[in-house]
mmCIF file of all heavy atoms in Angstrom:
data_model
loop_
_atom_site.group_PDB
_atom_site.id
_atom_site.type_symbol
_atom_site.label_atom_id
_atom_site.label_comp_id
_atom_site.label_asym_id
_atom_site.label_seq_id
_atom_site.Cartn_x
_atom_site.Cartn_y
_atom_site.Cartn_z
ATOM 1 N N ILE A 451 98.686 83.211 91.744
ATOM 2 C CA ILE A 451 99.889 83.716 92.401
ATOM 3 C C ILE A 451 100.545 82.514 93.072
ATOM 4 O O ILE A 451 99.978 81.905 93.967
ATOM 5 C CB ILE A 451 99.566 84.806 93.444
ATOM 6 C CG1 ILE A 451 98.781 85.956 92.786
ATOM 7 C CG2 ILE A 451 100.849 85.319 94.085
ATOM 8 C CD1 ILE A 451 99.500 86.667 91.675
ATOM 9 N N SER A 452 101.740 82.164 92.610
ATOM 10 C CA SER A 452 102.375 80.905 92.998
ATOM 11 C C SER A 452 103.256 81.050 94.224
ATOM 12 O O SER A 452 103.851 82.098 94.468
ATOM 13 C CB SER A 452 103.218 80.384 91.821
ATOM 14 O OG SER A 452 104.061 79.336 92.221
ATOM 15 N N ILE A 453 103.397 79.957 94.950
ATOM 16 C CA ILE A 453 104.282 79.923 96.119
ATOM 17 C C ILE A 453 105.754 79.918 95.707
ATOM 18 O O ILE A 453 106.641 80.185 96.508
ATOM 19 C CB ILE A 453 103.972 78.672 96.969
ATOM 20 C CG1 ILE A 453 104.651 78.745 98.332
ATOM 21 C CG2 ILE A 453 104.380 77.389 96.247
ATOM 22 C CD1 ILE A 453 104.257 77.615 99.273
ATOM 23 N N PHE A 454 106.035 79.630 94.437
ATOM 24 C CA PHE A 454 107.409 79.379 94.005
ATOM 25 C C PHE A 454 108.213 80.640 93.705
ATOM 26 O O PHE A 454 109.440 80.576 93.610
ATOM 27 C CB PHE A 454 107.412 78.481 92.759
ATOM 28 C CG PHE A 454 106.822 77.121 93.006
ATOM 29 C CD1 PHE A 454 105.543 76.817 92.576
ATOM 30 C CD2 PHE A 454 107.544 76.161 93.705
ATOM 31 C CE1 PHE A 454 104.989 75.564 92.806
ATOM 32 C CE2 PHE A 454 106.995 74.913 93.947
ATOM 33 C CZ PHE A 454 105.726 74.603 93.501
ATOM 34 N N TYR A 455 107.547 81.778 93.517
ATOM 35 C CA TYR A 455 108.267 82.965 93.072
ATOM 36 C C TYR A 455 107.923 84.182 93.920
ATOM 37 O O TYR A 455 107.078 84.133 94.794
ATOM 38 C CB TYR A 455 107.953 83.252 91.591
ATOM 39 C CG TYR A 455 108.050 82.030 90.709
ATOM 40 C CD1 TYR A 455 106.921 81.498 90.100
ATOM 41 C CD2 TYR A 455 109.274 81.386 90.523
ATOM 42 C CE1 TYR A 455 107.002 80.361 89.314
ATOM 43 C CE2 TYR A 455 109.366 80.248 89.741
ATOM 44 C CZ TYR A 455 108.231 79.729 89.140
ATOM 45 O OH TYR A 455 108.313 78.606 88.383
ATOM 46 N N ASP A 456 108.609 85.269 93.614
ATOM 47 C CA ASP A 456 108.367 86.533 94.298
ATOM 48 C C ASP A 456 106.884 86.917 94.157
ATOM 49 O O ASP A 456 106.286 86.730 93.082
ATOM 50 C CB ASP A 456 109.245 87.615 93.652
ATOM 51 C CG ASP A 456 109.253 88.898 94.453
ATOM 52 O OD1 ASP A 456 110.089 89.020 95.350
ATOM 53 O OD2 ASP A 456 108.402 89.775 94.185
ATOM 54 N N PRO A 457 106.261 87.452 95.225
ATOM 55 C CA PRO A 457 104.814 87.702 95.189
ATOM 56 C C PRO A 457 104.397 89.015 94.532
ATOM 57 O O PRO A 457 103.330 89.548 94.829
ATOM 58 C CB PRO A 457 104.442 87.697 96.675
ATOM 59 C CG PRO A 457 105.658 88.221 97.360
ATOM 60 C CD PRO A 457 106.821 87.678 96.575
ATOM 61 N N MET A 458 105.218 89.562 93.622
ATOM 62 C CA MET A 458 104.854 90.840 93.012
ATOM 63 C C MET A 458 103.740 90.669 91.983
ATOM 64 O O MET A 458 103.792 89.782 91.141
ATOM 65 C CB MET A 458 106.066 91.487 92.348
ATOM 66 C CG MET A 458 105.762 92.875 91.790
ATOM 67 S SD MET A 458 107.151 93.601 90.931
ATOM 68 C CE MET A 458 108.252 93.903 92.299
ATOM 69 N N ILE A 459 102.744 91.529 92.079
ATOM 70 C CA ILE A 459 101.643 91.555 91.120
ATOM 71 C C ILE A 459 101.903 92.617 90.050
ATOM 72 O O ILE A 459 101.694 92.382 88.862
ATOM 73 C CB ILE A 459 100.306 91.836 91.838
ATOM 74 C CG1 ILE A 459 99.953 90.655 92.755
ATOM 75 C CG2 ILE A 459 99.186 92.103 90.839
ATOM 76 C CD1 ILE A 459 98.772 90.916 93.666
ATOM 77 N N ALA A 460 102.345 93.793 90.481
ATOM 78 C CA ALA A 460 102.535 94.891 89.535
ATOM 79 C C ALA A 460 103.429 95.959 90.146
ATOM 80 O O ALA A 460 103.641 96.009 91.359
ATOM 81 C CB ALA A 460 101.191 95.505 89.145
ATOM 82 N N LYS A 461 103.947 96.812 89.271
ATOM 83 C CA LYS A 461 104.662 98.023 89.678
ATOM 84 C C LYS A 461 103.854 99.199 89.124
ATOM 85 O O LYS A 461 103.847 99.443 87.920
ATOM 86 C CB LYS A 461 106.088 98.022 89.125
ATOM 87 C CG LYS A 461 106.906 96.838 89.587
ATOM 88 C CD LYS A 461 108.321 96.848 89.052
ATOM 89 C CE LYS A 461 108.411 97.078 87.582
ATOM 90 N NZ LYS A 461 109.728 96.729 87.019
#
Side-chain angles (χ1 to χ4, degrees):
I451 304 299
S452 168
I453 192 174
F454 297 103
Y455 313 113
D456 191 88
M458 184 183 291
I459 293 171
K461 301 181 311 196

